């Protein structure tokens, strides 16, 4: 009976079924076992060529039907397909891949042929022990000619032509007969292989092969089907003989690379084989403890991926196998767990039953969502990990869009349903982050990022995922930046995720400032920036705005002046790249703060910061708090609702963290005390806290305390509490920090009307020492407060401060000549207050803004007025001489001029009695309050050598008048004489 064949219509001889070799596909290197000797021989022997395609009847590997259909159908089509395939030499090359065996020196047999007839093997195992001597018994094929054909294929001659004829005759006999035994099959292959070696030089061989190409392909495909059938029967026999899960594990390890092959035909036959194995195992499974099946999760995921394969036959076979695998898994889990005490298993079984009743097997297993939904309940944590890793592998390596889509749906569904049963999340995140850099397809990238989103949204895994993502180099590459920016999280989870990321940064602010900055702080700051730019967590950003803003401002404070060398970078993190010197912790913090303002629609605040160089202020070591104050005032002005939220947030945070944390928080909080809402705060959170800062060892806290008190004092109901702080505030007048003194004076100006007499006089004495302070603002405001103090003195207490008022006249009068117009104007104003207190009416010349040396007559009028008014009350001459050594030229000049003019209006008899030497050249010490900048020792003659000409001239004039007064006789002595 002629051998049936399919011609070009063979499905498994097509692009998916060409190679009969059992070589490992591209994944064989990952876990595939080493090949047997026969397997290696088969690999070396086979190569591929192409023939034209033909019709593709449906294959069915499951019940032997495939073989039966093709045994009958192929015979009918063989002659037509043969004629169609022999048109020309060019028709040989087409889309179908077939096996053209090549010779091998030492092959003792083919694995494909050894497995082709399992029954023959069982009956006569020795039939496989074929040697080269067996082949030479064939009629017309001697050992010499066989060896000759191997060693002298490139030589032409009568002997070689005879060998070719014998080989052709041997092959033609096969075309007319039927291959029965393994020996005949092997002989045919060797003859064909030997004949093919003569193609380069023998026209007879070329003509024969070209004219019989269809017959050759047909015979080889029969051989393939028998080999495949034998292989399937062998696997099934192994399962039936020993139906334990360990065998399935072993078989799966061997078949794994083939199931994941990129070649359709390899994947198809591997899937069909596994379907048959699973079908046998589901019928004969023996569940004896201990049960060992180490790769169940990987197996389930791989079969589920194959259910969505782009090749219809693969998908159908996988569906059949998946159905059997479900039964095996159910029996396995029911054996391990008690259904009554395992509600998840009982619930999963019920759901499985419901779904299978609604859908056919094909419908059910074509939906990855349903597959993952069922198997999720049956897999333990380690199996779930295997499932996810295999699915991730499928996302990367399976090129067809349908398969990638299935893999993505499987992955997301499993992660969503398994919820908190994963234990190796860091490992999963590691694989995902590594895959992102090599996956370019947008759909696949989206599915992977969605998987991260699912994990990060589960409270159990949020910190784990965030912690892993923060262990990457900053600035993040485009792949991790995309991940942070495109997180897809349900609204209820957004706040939780952003809060946990924020907490990673906040915890770093509790560390001592002298240590290196934690790398997590820099990474978390960069992550926040990426999240703000992506704006997927917008609702959470608005909700957590106060916490986010303050944490980033604190991070800016911590980052000032630092480089990445000041950060505790984990070892090995930057092994492949050098960190740019432009990358600093501060740049990340500033970027994140800017993006936060923009994403929360704080456009006006952002503009104010830019116009007033607020970002530069924030970056400065000495001016950081100025930038904080500017931003706080901008927020209070433009968005008072957000400002109030920040204020209430800061109340419990002001005493937490290290000094930089406290200072930034305090700086922002103090500015918000300008709001009317601040009066609602309990005193323990406002005035009491500010009082503590007044006694703080850090001057910055004292400054902030005074600034806060200045804002609160405008509320009348708070003044009484603030008044209790007067002694502490008065002490701050002696501080060297100008800002502290100015703020203290401003507060005292608000409270001066409520002071008792003792406090008032003590304050006036302190203020008098600040007259002439080199800090012009301190000088001016001290005079202002002095004048306000005079105004607040009660009528009955005037006598107690009169001497202080009189002692202030000369300083105020001389400082009206100050080069600083504001100081000079304030001096005249306070001088007027003093005159009103003394009930004097000052001459108009006092208010002249021109220097006295320009208008000597006006200066004389002033000197005459004060000389007469103060006679017997104040030693004007001695007081004025104290200012002749003032650091400011205008004050020295006015003092010397005033001395010269004042001699006309003082009691000359007293001068004659004491003499004028003490004015001219005696170095004296005055029992008066010495001014800052004065040495306390006066020498009028020394002024004659002053480098300033105007002062020398005025000093000489004053000295002349002094000498003149000293030289004149006493009128009383002349009369008596």
């Amino acid at each position: 009976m002629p051998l049936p064949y399919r011609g070009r219509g063979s499905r498994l001889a097509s692009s998916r079924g060409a190679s009969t070799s059992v070589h490992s596909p591209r994944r064989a290197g990952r876990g595939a076992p080493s090949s047997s000797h026969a397997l290696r021989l088969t690999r070396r022997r086979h190569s591929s060529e192409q023939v034209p395609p033909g019709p593709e009847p449906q294959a069915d590997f499951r019940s032997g039907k495939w073989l039966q259909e093709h045994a009958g159908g192929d015979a009918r089509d063989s002659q037509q397909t043969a004629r169609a395939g022999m048109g020309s030499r060019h028709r040989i090359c087409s889309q179908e891949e077939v096996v053209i065996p090549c010779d091998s020196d030492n092959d003792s047999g083919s694995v494909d042929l050894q497995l082709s007839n399992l029954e023959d093997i069982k009956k006569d195992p020795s039939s496989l022990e074929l040697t080269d001597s067996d082949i030479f018994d064939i009629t017309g094929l001697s050992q010499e000619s066989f060896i000759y054909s191997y060693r002298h294929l490139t030589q032409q001659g009568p002997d070689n032509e005879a060998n070719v004829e014998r080989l052709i005759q041997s092959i033609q006999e096969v075309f007319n007969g039927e291959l029965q035994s393994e020996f005949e099959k092997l002989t045919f292959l060797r003859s064909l292989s030997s004949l093919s070696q003569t193609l380069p030089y023998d026209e007879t061989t070329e003509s024969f092969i070209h004219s019989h190409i269809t017959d050759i392909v047909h015979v080889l495909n029969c051989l393939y089907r028998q080999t495949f059938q034998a292989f399937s029967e062998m696997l099934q026999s192994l399962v039936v003989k020993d139906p334990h899960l360990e065998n399935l594990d072993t078989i799966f390890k061997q078949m794994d690379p083939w199931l994941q092959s990129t070649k359709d035909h390899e994947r198809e036959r591997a899937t069909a084989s596994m379907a048959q194995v699973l079908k046998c195992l589901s019928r004969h499974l023996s569940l004896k403890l201990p049960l060992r099946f180490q790769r169940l999760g990987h197996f389930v995921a791989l079969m589920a991926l194959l259910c969505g394969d782009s090749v219809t036959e693969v998908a159908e076979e996988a569906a059949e196998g998946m159905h059997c695998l479900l039964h095996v898994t159910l029996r396995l889990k029911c054996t391990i767990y008690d259904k009554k005490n395992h509600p998840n298993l009982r619930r999963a079984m019920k759901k499985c039953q419901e779904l299978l009743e609604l859908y056919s097997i094909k419908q059910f297993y074509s939906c990855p969502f349903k597959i993952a939904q069922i198997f999720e309940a049956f897999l333990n944590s380690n199996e779930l990990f295997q499932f996810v890793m295999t699915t991730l592998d499928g996302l990367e390596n399976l090129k067809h869009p349908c398969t990638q889509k299935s893999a993505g749906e499987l992955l997301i569904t499993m992660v969503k349903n398994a919820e908190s049963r994963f234990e190796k999340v860091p490992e999963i995140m590691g694989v995902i982050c590594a895959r992102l850099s090599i996956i370019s397809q947008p759909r696949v990238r989206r599915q992977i990022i969605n998987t991260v989103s699912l994990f990060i949204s589960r409270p159990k895994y949020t910190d784990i995922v965030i912690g892993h993502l923060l262990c990457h180099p900053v600035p993040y590459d485009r792949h991790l930046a995309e991940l942070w920016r495109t997180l897809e999280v349900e609204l209820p989870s957004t706040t939780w995720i952003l809060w946990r990321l924020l907490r990673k940064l906040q915890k770093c602010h509790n560390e001592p400032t002298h240590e290196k900055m934690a790398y997590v702080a820099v990474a978390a700051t960069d992550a926040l920036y990426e999240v703000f730019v992506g704006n997927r967590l917008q609702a959470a950003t608005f909700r957590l705005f106060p916490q986010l803003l303050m944490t980033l401002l604190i991070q800016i404070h911590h980052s000032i002046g630092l480089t990445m060398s000041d950060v505790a970078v984990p070892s090995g993190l930057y092994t492949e790249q050098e960190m740019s010197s432009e990358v600093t912790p501060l740049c990340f913090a500033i970027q994140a703060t800017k993006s936060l303002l923009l994403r929360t629609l704080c456009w006006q605040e952002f503009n104010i910061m830019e116009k007033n160089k607020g970002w530069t202020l924030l970056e400065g070591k000495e001016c950081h708090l100025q930038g904080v104050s500017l931003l706080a005032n901008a927020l209070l002005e433009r968005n008072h609702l957000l400002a109030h939220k920040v204020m209430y947030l800061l109340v419990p945070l002001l005493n937490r963290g290290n000094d930089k944390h406290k200072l930034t928080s305090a700086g922002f909080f103090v500015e918000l005390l300008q709001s009317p809402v601040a009066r609602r705060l309990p005193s323990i959170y406002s005035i009491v806290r500010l009082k503590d800062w007044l006694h703080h060892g850090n001057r910055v806290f004292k400054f902030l305390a005074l600034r806060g008190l200045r804002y609160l004092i405008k509320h009348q109901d708070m003044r009484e509490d603030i008044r209790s702080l007067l002694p502490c505030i008065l002490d701050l007048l002696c501080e060297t920090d100008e800002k502290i003194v100015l703020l203290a004076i401003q507060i005292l100006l608000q409270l001066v009307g409520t002071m008792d007499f003792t406090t008032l006089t003590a304050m006036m004495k302190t203020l008098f020492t600040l007259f002439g302070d080199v800090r012009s603002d301190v000088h001016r405001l001290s005079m202002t407060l002095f004048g306000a103090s005079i105004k607040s003195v009660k009528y009955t207490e005037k006598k107690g401060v009169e001497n202080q008022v009189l002692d202030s006249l000369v300083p105020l009068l001389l400082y009206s000549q100050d080069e600083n117009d504001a100081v000079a104007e304030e001096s005249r104003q306070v001088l007027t207050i003093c005159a009103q207190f003394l009930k004097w009416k000052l001459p108009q010349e006092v208010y002249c803004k021109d220097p006295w040396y320009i208008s000597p007559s006006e200066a004389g009028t002033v000197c005459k007025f004060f000389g007469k008014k103060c006679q017997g009350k104040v030693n004007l001459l001695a007081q004025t001489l104290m200012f002749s050594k003032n650091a400011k030229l205008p004050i020295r000049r006015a003092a010397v001029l005033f001395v010269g003019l004042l001699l006309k209006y003082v009691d000359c008899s007293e001068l004659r009695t004491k003499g004028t030497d003490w004015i001219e050249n005696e170095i004296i010490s005055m029992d008066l309050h010495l001014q800052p900048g004065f040495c306390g020792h006066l020498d009028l003659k020394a002024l004659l050598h002053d480098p300033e000409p105007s002062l020398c001239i005025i000093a000489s004039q004053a000295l002349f008048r002094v000498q003149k007064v000293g030289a004149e006789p006493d009128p009383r002595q002349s009369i008596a004489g």
Side-chain angles (χ1 to χ4, degrees), residues 21 47 125 224 259 261 269 419 466 512 567 588 663 666 729 804 848 873 879:
S21 63
S47 63
Y224 163 74
L259 290 168
S261 173
R269 60 189 178 189
E419 294 185 350
I466 290 176
V567 178
F588 293 120
L663 279 173
I729 298 174
Q804 287 183 330
C848 180
K873 299 178 180 178
Q879 243 188 332

Side-chain angles (χ1 to χ4, degrees), residues 65-267:
K65 183 179 178 182
W66 185 83
L67 291 174
Q68 296 171 6
E69 290 178 354
H70 292 79
D74 291 346
R76 292 189 295 269
D77 300 332
S78 60
Q79 298 301 322
Q80 295 178 1
T81 55
R83 301 296 181 268
M86 294 188 292
S88 69
R89 182 171 183 173
H90 297 288
R91 292 188 185 179
I92 298 174
C93 299
S94 182
Q95 311 246 333
E96 291 201 54
E97 198 177 304
V98 297
V99 176
I100 304 296
C102 300
D103 72 332
S104 177
D105 295 337
N106 298 312
D107 282 359
S108 60
S110 167
V111 172
D112 295 346
L113 298 180
Q114 290 171 5
L115 302 180
S116 63
N117 194 330
L118 195 60
E119 295 301 324
D120 291 341
I121 294 174
K122 293 179 181 178
K123 294 178 181 178
D124 186 11
S126 62
S127 62
L128 291 179
E129 301 296 327
L130 302 177
T131 63
D132 290 340
S133 60
D134 297 326
I135 302 175
F136 303 136
D137 293 335
I138 303 175
T139 304
L141 187 61
S142 65
Q143 184 174 6
E144 289 79 5
S145 64
F146 189 78
I147 296 174
Y148 181 86
S149 67
Y150 272 74
R151 296 181 180 178
H152 307 282
L153 293 175
T154 59
Q155 301 177 3
Q156 299 187 30
D159 292 340
N160 188 54
E161 291 178 359
N163 287 334
V164 169
E165 290 297 331
R166 282 194 292 271
L167 290 173
I168 291 176
Q169 183 180 359
S170 174
I171 293 172
Q172 282 181 326
E173 290 176 358
V174 173
F175 293 159
N176 299 325
E178 183 175 351
L179 295 175
Q180 297 291 342
S181 66
E182 298 299 324
F183 176 79
E184 290 177 349
K185 297 172 185 176
L186 187 58
T187 302
F188 169 77
L189 288 176
R190 294 214 170 186
S191 299
L192 184 62
S193 176
S194 300
L195 183 64
S196 65
Q197 300 299 319
T198 66
L199 273 172
Y201 61 85
D202 191 283
E203 294 182 359
T204 303
T205 300
E206 182 179 12
S207 176
F208 175 76
I209 290 180
H210 286 174
S211 60
H212 294 82
I213 187 67
T214 304
D215 295 322
I216 293 172
V217 171
H218 155 68
V219 174
L220 292 175
N221 282 329
C222 193
L223 292 178
Y224 163 74
R225 288 197 300 273
Q226 290 179 355
T227 302
F228 179 74
Q229 180 68 14
F231 177 70
S232 297
E233 291 175 358
M234 178 190 71
L235 293 180
Q236 294 174 52
S237 297
L238 289 173
V239 172
V240 172
K241 181 178 180 181
D242 188 9
H244 291 89
L245 285 176
E246 291 84 346
N247 280 339
L248 179 60
D249 207 1
T250 303
I251 292 172
F252 178 59
K253 287 179 182 178
Q254 302 293 330
M255 298 293 292
D256 188 13
W258 301 94
L259 290 168
Q260 300 187 65
S261 173
T262 56
K263 296 181 179 180
D264 293 348
H265 67 87
E266 293 177 350
R267 211 164 58 253

Side-chain angles (χ1 to χ4, degrees), residues 430-447:
V431 173
I432 286 177
C433 293
R435 297 286 166 81
L436 272 177
S437 61
I438 58 177
I439 295 177
S440 58
Q441 295 90 339
R443 177 184 296 178
V444 181
R445 295 178 68 85
R446 183 71 260 154
Q447 290 169 336

Side-chain angles (χ1 to χ4, degrees), residues 545 549 553 593 597 602 605-606 608-609 614-615 618 625-637 668 671-672:
F545 175 82
L549 179 63
L553 289 176
T593 308
L597 292 180
C602 295
E605 295 83 342
F606 186 90
I608 291 173
M609 289 293 289
W615 304 117
L618 281 176
L625 286 181
Q626 296 180 40
V628 172
S629 298
L630 178 63
L631 181 55
N633 280 286
L635 193 65
L636 188 61
E637 176 186 350
F668 207 99
E671 297 304 317
L672 299 181

Side-chain angles (χ1 to χ4, degrees), residues 27-28 105 179 264 289 450 453 457 623-624 679 787 811 913 936 945:
R27 293 179 184 250
D105 295 337
L179 295 175
D264 293 348
L289 297 176
N450 287 345
S453 302
S457 62
C623 54
H624 171 73
R679 64 191 303 175
T913 302
H945 306 288

